[in-house]
Amino acid sequence: MPINPNRAQDVWKDVGEHVQFTVLQLNRQDQQHDREVFQEFADRSQAIIRSLRIRDAKPETGTQLKVSIGISSAAWDYLFPGAPKPKELETYTTLSGPKYTMPATPGDLFFHIRASNEAVVYECQTQFQRVLAPITTVLDETKGFRYFEGRAIIGFIDGTEAPAVEDAADYALVGDEDPQFINGSYAFAQKWQHDMPVWEHMHTEDQEKAVGREKFSDFELEDEDKFKNAHNVASKLEIDGVEQKIVRMNVPYSNPAAGNTGTYFIGYARHWTVTKGMLQNMVDQSDFLLTFSTLLSGQAFFIPSRDLFAQIADDDF
């Protein structure tokens, strides 16, 4: 059975202009009731998305709303006890290296909503909450934005290492290796807070050595010109000599007057083991980005296909 990107959620498409990430925790007060509410949400969420795409559509651009909804391993076991489970779905646990750690934090349900209009993002999450609020608690809500030229908040072009759009589905979507969960995706969400004054006081040449690319042109430096723990060195994963890829979407967020600025990283992958291997490499090699950053969260989720959402809604799963 081949991968069909049309049956997937929005896990490899553009980052968006206005972005919201939300993580919810199930209250776990009544398992049967919670399951029924989530089944209702599985149905209503798709109708909400369709409705907002109609309301937002413009003749020249169409609609820009894109949504991904994820479920953690613990939530999967709670909502679907005894049901099949994606082969690689597990609870993310803290990864440690010689100097730094990537902490694991709680989270049952995950939402990645982006659009060209902030009002559409607002309305989408608001309507989702009308269904889910009685059974959940909000753990984190982060609003992101598109920075100049699609650059990361540290000033470098973002997404260079991600696969091209036309190739992305094969790296982002589960295939026939797990046929019941085909067209799903493994998501990893991680919130970084940066000490921007430290970064901004570095000379541009040192920033380039730290990232591994020229800041203006995005041209990759020769290996001997990079720091040994440059980001594009530390985050690289090879298996049997073949470099592995995931779909990466780094989204800046900020409360600039308060000096709270960072990056919300979301990675979508066909195999969770690939993302996990990249993260482990980053802490093992003390990725330079970790030297001026604090990691605030880390959670793994599975993004079901739209077909699987329909089965959940119909109580067929």
Side-chain angles (χ1 to χ4, degrees), residues 151-277:
R151 293 177 181 266
I153 199 66
I154 59 174
F156 284 76
I157 295 291
D158 187 51
T160 302
E161 303 296 333
V165 173
E166 58 270 20
D167 302 323
D170 286 337
Y171 292 98
L173 301 181
V174 173
D176 57 9
E177 68 275 3
D178 198 1
Q180 187 160 8
F181 298 100
I182 194 167
N183 301 317
S185 185
Y186 293 94
F188 181 71
Q190 190 177 54
K191 189 173 180 178
W192 296 56
Q193 185 179 49
H194 303 310
D195 189 336
M196 294 302 290
V198 170
W199 176 253
E200 290 164 351
H201 278 88
M202 289 177 60
H203 294 297
T204 298
E205 292 81 1
D206 288 334
Q207 291 182 347
E208 292 176 338
K209 292 176 182 178
V211 172
R213 292 184 172 276
E214 293 180 358
K215 193 168 186 178
F216 177 75
S217 70
D218 196 42
F219 191 82
E220 184 170 4
L221 302 180
E222 298 294 335
D223 287 347
E224 59 268 23
D225 295 328
K226 303 174 185 177
F227 290 150
K228 290 183 178 180
N229 61 340
H231 176 61
N232 70 354
V233 173
S235 62
K236 181 183 292 187
L237 176 68
E238 292 187 353
I239 298 178
D240 296 329
V242 178
E243 183 178 354
Q244 305 298 300
K245 292 183 179 294
I246 64 172
V247 174
R248 312 163 188 244
M249 297 187 192
N250 293 328
V251 180
Y253 71 88
S254 184
N255 301 110
N260 178 19
T261 296
T263 299
Y264 203 108
F265 167 75
I266 175 68
Y268 293 110
R270 180 172 185 164
H271 296 287
W272 159 239
T273 51
V274 170
T275 306
K276 188 176 180 180

Side-chain angles (χ1 to χ4, degrees), residues 21-90:
F21 300 98
T22 306
V23 178
L24 305 180
Q25 185 82 22
L26 292 163
N27 294 333
R28 290 175 167 78
Q29 294 179 345
D30 184 333
Q31 187 175 22
Q32 181 59 35
H33 175 67
D34 292 352
R35 175 183 169 86
E36 291 170 356
V37 172
F38 190 79
Q39 287 175 333
E40 178 187 357
F41 171 75
D43 182 36
R44 283 184 177 270
S45 63
Q46 304 311 295
I48 290 167
I49 294 167
R50 290 192 298 269
S51 173
L52 286 173
R53 283 175 173 163
I54 293 170
R55 295 169 64 186
D56 183 48
K58 298 176 177 61
E60 64 277 12
T61 60
T63 180
Q64 302 300 313
L65 174 64
K66 296 176 177 64
V67 181
S68 299
I69 301 167
I71 307 169
S72 74
S73 178
W76 196 282
D77 294 339
Y78 177 74
L79 293 170
F80 316 120
K85 189 174 181 178
K87 287 181 179 179
E88 296 185 39
L89 182 58
E90 64 179 13

